[in-house]
Amino acid sequence: MLLKQISDLREEKKPLEFSDIPEPVPGPNEILLKVNACGVCHTELDEIEGRTPPPVFPVVPGHQVVGQVVDKGTDVTMFKIGDRAGVAWIFASCGTCEFCVNGLDNLCPEFKATGRDAHGGYAEYMKVQEGFAYQIPEYFSDYEAAPLFCAGAIGYRSLALTNIQNGQTLGLTGFGASAHLVLKLARHLFPETKVMIFARSEEERAFALELGAIWAGDIGDNAPEKLSAIIDTTPVWRPILTSLENLKPGGRLVINAIRKEEVDKPQLLSLHYPDHLWMEKEIKTVANVARRDVAEFLEIAARAGIKPQIQQYALQEANQALLELKNREIKGAKVLVLS
Ligand SMILES: [Zn+2]
Ligand SMILES: [Zn+2]
């Protein structure tokens, strides 16, 4: 499924085109995967609508990829033919800058993203350097594993960046693929932490309560108590204000969104220093994902039995899955299943 140009999803209902391109040939340190499953992420909408545009068109999107190694370069040592492997948003980094050498390859100035800066997993085949591929615990099927590579791994990074301790209260603003995994992860890592959800749709709120949130309200509602940290996964601005208002003194808001949409930006003019920022409240963003996040999260998820709730689509139904995501028809994670 090829992305050939930027488009406006209010008008364009088929942003990706089902096409035939040559099978990729792996370089010396690359593996070739036959893709079995690829997760659908909100970031694909940001690419299609031009908020984080691919540098070159056409490109195959998709950065939550699970497949089987069917070919490999001469220097590959970590994978053999037939192995299962996964690929995340981090496709490449320089390996030598101050960020890379400290495990912050997500911040590398040479950071390359799967499915934006290189062909990704909305295809039958994709290639990747072996150092940017991961073994997958047996515990997960291909389609269960796919959303762990972005929704899960970035959720894991977001939760770590909140700095919360067991027993401190946690809020989640927006309740899509990533937040539903963060809720499961938080319940495992911080069993005494109360998790509260702010979500626009009633279905998302009901789903959150089903998964163990103790309270679920609309975005803009006041939670029954102030929160130590909140993770915002929405694509817009107003939730930043409503989240800040719901924080305790010293609380931290972590924004897990690669880009925000411009539609409601004027809302920021109602920023009110005493309510939103005073009392040492903090704002931090989550950028990309480090390789360490992916590897650690896969292991924790397998050990804790954290599996995503999945909605499955065929590869050719990618446009439908993306439009549903745009219209927030979401329950858990959407995955293209190829086998
Ligand atoms: Zn993603
Ligand atoms: Zn680097």
Side-chain angles (χ1 to χ4, degrees), residues 28-39:
N29 62 358
E30 289 178 328
I31 55 175
L32 178 68
L33 295 178
K34 183 173 190 314
V35 178
N36 292 331
C38 185

Side-chain angles (χ1 to χ4, degrees), residues 67-127:
Q68 199 176 18
V69 179
V70 290
D71 196 5
K72 64 190 182 79
T74 46
D75 297 346
V76 169
T77 57
M78 295 186 291
F79 291 92
K80 54 187 194 315
I81 305 290
D83 280 355
R84 194 157 75 133
V87 187
W89 174 244
I90 180 165
F91 184 81
S93 67
C94 80
T96 54
C97 71
E98 64 167 300
F99 302 108
C100 283
V101 297
N102 288 305
L104 292 168
D105 39 5
N106 60 311
L107 304 181
C108 176
E110 311 272 307
F111 181 92
K112 298 273 183 297
T114 310
R116 185 191 63 188
D117 306 319
H119 288 322
Y122 282 32
E124 292 167 278
Y125 295 93
M126 83 161 274
K127 65 175 183 174

Side-chain angles (χ1 to χ4, degrees), residues 21 24 39 82 86 91 100 117 122 151 191 193 230 243 256 286 288 302 309 327:
I21 57 171
F91 184 81
C100 283
D117 306 319
Y122 282 32
T193 282
I230 297 180
S243 299
N256 174 8
V286 187
N288 304 318
Q309 252 82 341
N327 298 326

